[in-house]
Amino acid sequence: MTLPENITETERTALDAAAFRRLVAHLDAHKEVQNIDLMLLADFCRNCLGDWWREAAAERGIDVTKDQARERVYGMPPADWKAQYQTETSPEKIAAFKAKQVLKNG
């Protein structure tokens, strides 16, 4: 990947962090988009993003629980988000997800 020569590693990290914060804010503004929708379209969801955040913390020797990391993404405890915003997943979406997993895993 080629970045402009005048961008330092510190600036790149700051830009990456800003993009992450914007993605989290965007997901927060669109609670109508369910995790199953994200999984079907983009092969990741809010839980994945939280898990990646936790893995990044672990790589830096920072102990973060799965729930703490996911709360960073959801903006509240995941169980609270699910109770307030998660809708029932249709059988069609579940079937599509399972079919996608079969294709993905061979």
Side-chain angles (χ1 to χ4, degrees), residues 19-68:
F20 169 81
R21 288 188 298 273
R22 187 165 179 183
L23 173 59
V24 168
H26 185 80
L27 290 172
D28 188 52
H30 293 280
K31 292 178 178 76
E32 75 280 4
V33 177
Q34 299 292 299
N35 281 337
I36 190 74
D37 299 323
L38 290 168
M39 289 299 294
L40 289 171
L41 293 172
D43 208 25
F44 85 99
C45 68
R46 291 170 179 88
N47 291 335
C48 298
L49 198 54
D51 293 346
W52 299 338
W53 196 84
R54 183 174 59 97
E55 290 168 8
E59 289 171 3
R60 289 155 182 79
I62 302 168
D63 187 33
V64 176
T65 68
K66 180 169 61 171
D67 282 343
Q68 288 170 328

Side-chain angles (χ1 to χ4, degrees), residues 43 97-106:
D43 208 25
F97 179 74
K98 287 180 180 178
K100 185 173 183 171
Q101 293 305 300
V102 168
L103 289 174
K104 182 175 152 184
N105 297 323

Side-chain angles (χ1 to χ4, degrees), residues 66-78:
K66 180 169 61 171
D67 282 343
Q68 288 170 328
R70 289 180 178 185
E71 186 172 335
R72 170 67 183 101
V73 173
Y74 283 97
M76 63 181 68

